[in-house]
Amino acid sequence: MSTERRQRIKNYLLRLLTSQSSRLWGYLPAAERIKTAIVEEIISPKVLDNPLRLAPTKYRLYLHPNTVSRIPHLAHLQDELAIAIHAVGNAMGVKFAILPQTSIEVSKEISEDDFSLESEFYEPAILNTLPLTATIKDVPKDAYFIIQSTKIFPLKTPIVHIGRRADNDLVINDPRVSRLHAQLRATGGRYRIIDLNSTGGTFINGKRITNTILYPGDVISLAGVSMLYGQRTTRPLTPAGPTSPLQANNNTAPTETIMFDPNQTSSSASDEGREK
């Protein structure tokens, strides 16, 4: 990549980062340098030259105590920054093993007009053994969720992020659901669902799980929000719970994030016996 092209891309990403988390920057004396440091992490050779193009998933921003004390609604603005980093990564076509997480922390060793940024490639231990090399060919054909018997969500990508935070692929606007609740990963023509240490847990056919393969007809509960997993071209396996045949809506847009609000509608188990 030429120097001129890299600079154009960098400038675009800086504007994107600014607009996506605009409320935070006014409280940070070193805002422009912080934004530049974040973008540099995402477009660094260790990311772009990696065959998987994996970006860091944890970002720690250290600031002077006085600077941190002036930031209102800190937890909310940290989430906004994480969502902005996700948007920047998407614009560059890089991957995140899990959705980015940010923390703004106090350091007395830093002056009020300075900062320190640390980033790392992090994913929960339960994900470490699962491949990130899946492609669209590994995605089960015509797979979908039916959420609370009211909304069809097509499953079209090798990784599907599920949770309450606004940048999940499937956003579930329910306080029982964690911000980063669960993830689907395609492997060998099936989806595997992984609970991301959620507070309310992930249940399949009534049993709490941490990591299991999904089969057509499985009934999933995310802390009480129910979903049915289906594949239009595949019969449900038995036993699959009390379900009826359902058809996917082929007119539903496959790539957009879908938000579900359930208010608009009225101990860990292993995979033993499920994987075939």
Side-chain angles (χ1 to χ4, degrees):
M1 183 187 302
S2 69
T3 302
E4 181 181 355
R5 174 173 169 76
R6 190 177 189 277
Q7 188 60 48
R8 286 202 306 269
I9 291 173
K10 182 177 175 180
N11 290 341
Y12 167 73
L13 296 177
L14 286 169
R15 291 194 299 271
L16 180 61
L17 185 62
T18 300
S19 65
Q20 292 285 318
S21 53
S22 57
R23 293 191 298 173
L24 174 64
W25 305 117
Y27 300 103
L28 307 183
E32 295 305 317
R33 289 185 291 130
I34 293 170
K35 287 184 281 187
T36 298
I38 291 172
V39 168
E40 289 285 0
E41 288 291 329
I42 293 173
I43 64 173
S44 69
K46 67 183 178 183
V47 175
L48 299 185
D49 293 348
N50 185 307
L52 293 178
R53 292 172 69 91
L54 285 175
T57 53
K58 274 196 173 181
Y59 299 79
R60 298 183 189 89
L61 179 60
Y62 295 93
L63 302 170
H64 188 274
N66 291 343
T67 303
V68 175
S69 69
R70 290 192 294 266
I71 303 174
H73 312 296
L74 181 60
H76 186 71
L77 292 182
Q78 286 178 153
D79 260 3
E80 280 194 1
L81 179 57
I83 291 169
I85 290 171
H86 190 196
V88 169
N90 283 343
M92 275 303 297
V94 303
K95 294 180 182 178
F96 296 93
I98 60 171
L99 295 187
Q101 301 173 55
T102 60
S103 61
I104 296 175
E105 303 182 19
V106 167
S107 173
K108 294 181 179 179
E109 299 177 357
I110 294 174
S111 64
E112 286 199 46
D113 61 350
D114 206 357
F115 72 98
S116 176
L117 178 70
E118 294 180 356
S119 68
E120 66 172 306
F121 297 86
Y122 164 81
E123 61 180 348
I126 197 168
L127 294 176
N128 288 341
T129 59
L130 301 178
L132 278 163
T133 54
T135 67
I136 199 67
K137 294 179 180 178
D138 296 291
V139 174
K141 187 176 180 181
D142 296 321
Y144 57 89
F145 282 143
I146 297 179
I147 309 166
Q148 298 281 73
S149 303
T150 64
K151 183 179 286 292
I152 295 176
F153 180 76
L155 301 168
K156 300 287 188 180
T157 56
I159 297 178
V160 181
H161 304 285
I162 306 169
R164 198 175 73 246
R165 206 173 82 181
D167 58 332
N168 280 280
D169 301 304
L170 174 54
V171 179
I172 301 178
N173 187 21
D174 187 299
R176 295 171 295 177
V177 174
S178 296
R179 299 197 316 279
L180 311 182
H181 194 107
Q183 186 183 102
L184 299 186
R185 287 195 183 182
T187 174
R190 292 195 183 275
Y191 271 120
R192 180 177 288 275
I193 187 167
I194 306 100
D195 182 85
L196 300 178
N197 300 316
S198 67
T199 302
T202 300
F203 298 79
I204 306 294
N205 302 325
K207 294 183 178 180
R208 188 164 187 166
I209 62 92
T210 55
N211 171 15
T212 190
I213 284 180
L214 287 176
Y215 294 96
D218 278 345
V219 178
I220 303 144
S221 173
L222 304 180
V225 176
S226 64
M227 305 189 295
L228 175 73
Y229 175 72
Q231 289 175 238
R232 186 167 60 87
T233 57
T234 309
R235 288 187 308 162
L237 301 179
T238 55
T243 61
S244 301
L246 292 159
Q247 296 295 319
N249 180 358
N250 291 330
N251 295 321
T252 306
T255 57
E256 63 179 344
T257 294
I258 291 182
M259 177 176 288
F260 175 73
D261 188 342
N263 294 324
Q264 296 174 358
T265 69
S266 41
S267 14
S268 188
S270 71
D271 286 352
E272 186 177 355
R274 288 180 50 82
E275 297 192 28
K276 299 177 182 180

